[in-house]
Amino acid sequence: KLFSLSITDSRKIKHYGWENVFINRIRCRLNNQLYLSLSFKNKSSRLAVFNPQTENYTLLIKNKVIWTDLVISPDSTYALYAETKSETFNRELYLYDFKTKKSKKIFENHGWIGNIFWGKDGTSVFFNISKNRITIDELKSNYKKIKKKLEKQ
């Protein structure tokens, strides 16, 4: 659920809610709107923008699972986020254009991507990656190799 609270009168609390919608995270604020990560019954971590004046949300990114922060560029033109591939848990770094409402993949990693930041110039990006994970396919492949070596001994 989403709430707002007056800092001068804590009795003034407002609840915003939609049926069958779970708010995972408030990602950031831009131009008096909140960017939220929403989950539905069978879809998790979809990006939406919430307008407190109208009390409605609009889905921006509907077909990607976003677990990292949404990071807005210094000029508020673009956003960066990493999509987590649900079948492999690999992450891909995307650039979202607020004007065209389109995303473009700019980096792919067989592993984790996180701690995403914009450079001061607005054209460079900083982030961490890790390749310290193994997929089930890799485990199966390594198991077969190890088994063959043991059988030869």
Side-chain angles (χ1 to χ4, degrees):
K1 306 285 181 202
L2 181 64
F3 296 89
S4 65
L5 176 71
S6 168
I7 61 170
T8 58
D9 184 356
S10 62
R11 293 170 295 171
K12 291 183 180 178
I13 187 166
K14 179 156 175 80
H15 169 253
Y16 303 92
W18 306 279
E19 199 166 319
N20 299 319
V21 176
F22 177 76
I23 299 169
N24 301 318
R25 258 175 107 173
I26 299 172
R27 298 289 181 178
C28 63
R29 182 182 57 79
L30 177 66
N31 300 328
N32 295 320
Q33 298 185 96
L34 296 176
Y35 287 81
L36 309 172
S37 177
L38 305 179
S39 290
F40 304 91
K41 187 176 180 179
N42 59 353
K43 295 181 180 176
S44 62
S45 291
R46 302 305 193 234
L47 185 67
V49 61
F50 169 68
N51 184 329
Q53 284 75 34
T54 64
E55 299 185 12
N56 291 318
Y57 71 88
T58 304
L59 285 175
L60 297 179
I61 301 172
K62 303 173 188 176
N63 59 348
K64 297 184 184 334
V65 178
I66 303 166
W67 288 108
T68 61
D69 289 332
L70 181 78
V71 185
I72 309 292
S73 64
D75 65 0
S76 303
T77 304
Y78 301 104
L80 295 166
Y81 66 90
E83 175 191 7
T84 302
K85 295 293 192 178
S86 57
E87 61 278 358
T88 62
F89 293 98
N90 290 337
R91 287 195 174 168
E92 298 172 342
L93 186 62
Y94 281 83
L95 179 71
Y96 181 81
D97 186 326
F98 285 108
K99 191 174 185 178
T100 65
K101 296 183 171 45
K102 295 191 187 230
S103 295
K104 175 184 172 184
K105 181 171 41 172
I106 59 173
F107 184 78
E108 187 172 352
N109 186 42
H110 179 71
W112 178 85
I113 296 175
N115 301 317
I116 305 166
F117 288 91
W118 281 95
K120 285 186 179 182
D121 62 1
T123 62
S124 55
V125 179
F126 297 89
F127 55 92
N128 296 110
I129 64 171
S130 173
K131 295 184 185 268
N132 294 335
R133 54 173 210 78
I134 301 171
T135 64
I136 290 172
D137 290 342
E138 291 169 328
L139 285 174
K140 286 179 185 176
S141 175
N142 287 338
Y143 173 76
K144 288 177 186 176
K145 289 175 189 174
I146 291 168
K147 187 177 175 184
K148 282 182 184 178
K149 285 182 181 180
L150 290 174
E151 288 172 350
K152 287 181 182 180
Q153 291 180 352

